[in-house]
Amino acid sequence: MPQLDFANPMVLAQAVWLLVIFGGLYFILNSYVLPQVATVLEDRAQRIAADLDAARASKLSADAAMAELQAATAKARAKAQSAIAAAVQQANAQAQAQAEVLNARLAEQITAAEGRISASRDAAMASLRSVATDTATALVTRLVGRADAAAVDGAVGRALSARGSL
């Protein structure tokens, strides 16, 4: 290959200048450029580490806040359940008291009604003998023409006794 003919003085000069230029470039890069790049990379790594630390701290703070929120929510929920249970218990007690009052009033009314019914029945049963006697006397008088009051009263008494009505 003619490009690598080191016997030619032109190729040798080019090779020397190549080494000089690369050496100078290496010296400039090594002395000025690469330290600045290293500094930038180191600053960037420190900034990323600081950001990661801040993110970890924020996450811990958020986790603590979430735990506190959950605890407060659980406490509020328990308090609400307690209040609801107390309200239900109070409502049941009031309903029970009202039911007892109503039951007592109804029992009084039932007793009074039973007393009135019993009095009405006794009055009806007492008047039943006279009504039956008057009816029987009227029927016998109508059929026969005259009625013996003592005989009709005795027959009505026997009929009522047989039925258990009097």
Side-chain angles (χ1 to χ4, degrees):
M1 273 193 346
Q3 295 92 347
L4 297 179
D5 184 15
F6 287 108
N8 186 353
M10 191 66 140
V11 172
L12 190 58
Q14 287 177 352
V16 169
W17 278 108
L18 177 71
L19 289 176
V20 169
I21 291 173
F22 273 123
L25 188 61
Y26 177 76
F27 176 73
I28 291 172
L29 284 177
N30 197 23
S31 299
Y32 299 107
V33 177
L34 290 178
Q36 289 178 356
V37 171
T39 304
V40 168
L41 289 176
E42 187 177 310
D43 288 345
R44 184 174 178 217
Q46 288 176 355
R47 197 174 18 213
I48 289 172
D51 289 345
L52 287 175
D53 289 341
R56 285 187 193 103
S58 295
K59 184 179 183 314
L60 290 175
S61 174
D63 289 344
M66 184 61 105
E68 184 178 326
L69 174 69
Q70 288 174 345
T73 301
K75 183 179 177 182
R77 188 173 288 133
K79 189 174 180 181
Q81 290 294 334
S82 174
I84 289 170
V88 167
Q89 186 178 12
Q90 183 181 8
N92 286 340
Q94 286 178 343
Q96 184 67 27
Q98 289 176 349
E100 288 175 4
V101 169
L102 182 62
N103 285 338
R105 191 172 355 135
L106 288 176
E108 288 176 14
Q109 289 176 353
I110 288 172
T111 303
E114 285 176 349
R116 286 191 308 271
I117 290 171
S118 178
S120 296
R121 186 187 51 189
D122 291 344
M125 291 308 278
S127 68
L128 181 66
R129 183 174 183 99
S130 65
V131 170
T133 303
D134 290 344
T135 305
T137 303
L139 282 173
V140 169
T141 303
R142 183 105 183 197
L143 289 174
V144 177
R146 70 175 180 81
D148 184 11
V152 170
D153 189 37
V156 167
R158 285 189 303 272
L160 290 175
S161 294
R163 294 187 87 145
S165 298
L166 193 64

